[in-house]
Structure formats: structure tokens, C-alpha cells
Amino acid sequence: MALKATIHRVQFQIADMDRHYYADHALTVARHPSETDERMMVRLLAFALHANEALAFGRGVSTEDEPDLWQKDLTGAIDLWIQLGQPDEKAIRRACGRAGRVILYTYSGHGAELWWEQVAGKCAALDNLSVIDIPPASVQALASLAAKGMTLSCTVQDGEVRLTSPEASVEVELTVRKQPKTRR
């Protein structure tokens, strides 16, 4: 018998002062049986950092042709593609060809550093790619907030990120490994 996804309900209040975005979101998040609390919470963090009414979760970890999160315009074109983990160069190039912006979030510590050393040179010319790393301590702290029913708030101000639940508060560090080239 196949294992089913675990459903998590999230009441998410987002105050992103850097982007001037303030909204409440009621989310239903399906956690694949192979997905850890750490990965699910990184997905929620990515949602908070890029939240808007058009941002949506992809079909999940078992779907290779969809990102973890994406935002499409009214024509169906992909404006934003957000992927977690350490995809291979071919998958990164494919995503950059399909979307206006691609953001990769890595979160596995030393493994992410080794992965980046291997793909950084090959990805240098991808003008629409951002790579952001979340250190293991921040990921573990985020995982401590995981529950089937969550009430979370996320505050972003001057590049600092804080996720808060009624029980705890977590300051999340983000390290930018690559930013897209600015266009004139």
C-alpha cells in the first residue's frame, strides 16, 4: 500500500517590509512521505519570501517537470520558478529557459557547498538565476516549528528574516551565492 501525503494547514501572516508586501495566507501544504519537516519548512520559508496572490506550490517532490513553487502570469508563462535542493546543471538550465526568474534554495550545509563548487562555473552565464543558501542551524530551527496545524508569522526587514509561531521564534540566515545580473 502506498503511503499518502500528510496534510498541514498553515495560517501565515507575512509582513515583508523590504518588498512592501503585507498579507495573510491560509495554506494547505501536502508533505510527501519522503519529504522531511526541514524541507517542508524551507518550502514555507520560500513561499513567505516571495509571497503574492499568484504564487503557488508545485505538485511535489516526485514531479520533475515542476518546481516546488512557481508564479505564472495571466497567459500561463512562468514568471518565477523556485526550486529547493541541489538540481543538476541540466535541470537548472531547463528551468532558466522556461521561467523569467529562477531561484534555488539550498539547505544541506557542506553538501550544498560541494554541489555549488561543481555547478557554479557552469551556471555563471545564467542571467536569471539566483542561488540562496540556508545554513543547517536555521533549517533545524525552522523544523522545530513544524506541526499539522501551524499559525506562523514571517517578518522581513532590511534583509533579516524571522519566522514566529505561538511557541517559538526563529531568525533565519540567508547567504546569497549567486544573484541575477541586473539589466539596464
Side-chain angles (χ1 to χ4, degrees):
M1 184 163 105
L3 296 174
K4 293 185 178 183
T6 304
I7 302 301
H8 295 263
R9 306 236 186 261
V10 184
Q11 294 298 320
F12 217 158
Q13 182 181 48
I14 300 168
D16 188 334
M17 289 163 248
D18 292 352
R19 293 188 302 135
H20 305 289
Y21 180 84
Y22 309 93
D24 293 337
H25 293 269
L27 305 174
T28 300
V29 179
R31 190 179 119 203
H32 190 274
S34 68
E35 186 175 34
T36 63
D37 282 345
E38 288 85 354
R39 188 178 194 287
M40 179 186 69
M41 294 306 292
V42 170
R43 274 198 300 148
L44 286 171
L45 173 67
F47 180 90
L49 294 173
H50 304 282
N52 74 45
E53 296 304 318
L55 187 64
F57 290 99
R59 288 186 285 182
V61 287
S62 59
T63 309
E64 289 185 22
D65 62 335
E66 282 189 16
D68 292 292
L69 294 150
W70 56 2
Q71 178 182 323
K72 296 180 180 180
D73 68 15
L74 296 174
T75 68
I78 303 168
D79 288 331
L80 177 62
W81 178 291
I82 300 172
Q83 190 73 42
L84 309 182
Q86 303 163 20
D88 63 27
E89 177 206 354
K90 184 177 177 182
I92 296 169
R93 286 188 179 284
R94 187 170 46 246
C96 286
R98 291 181 65 191
R101 288 186 334 164
V102 175
I103 302 173
L104 298 177
Y105 283 95
T106 61
Y107 57 94
S108 63
H110 186 64
E113 288 178 36
L114 294 175
W115 167 82
W116 183 241
E117 286 174 10
Q118 292 176 354
V119 300
K122 299 171 187 173
C123 295
L126 299 174
D127 293 344
N128 60 338
L129 175 67
S130 296
V131 180
I132 301 168
D133 186 63
I134 306 165
S138 290
V139 175
Q140 289 298 317
L142 283 172
S144 72
L145 301 176
K148 280 195 170 192
M150 293 180 261
T151 301
L152 299 173
S153 63
C154 179
T155 305
V156 180
Q157 184 176 13
D158 299 328
E160 294 184 11
V161 181
R162 179 177 297 279
L163 254 71
T164 305
S165 75
E167 296 80 28
S169 182
V170 173
E171 189 144 336
V172 180
E173 289 182 48
L174 300 173
T175 302
V176 177
R177 294 186 188 274
K178 182 185 184 319
Q179 286 190 352
K181 294 181 181 172
T182 56
R183 296 182 182 160
R184 294 185 179 172

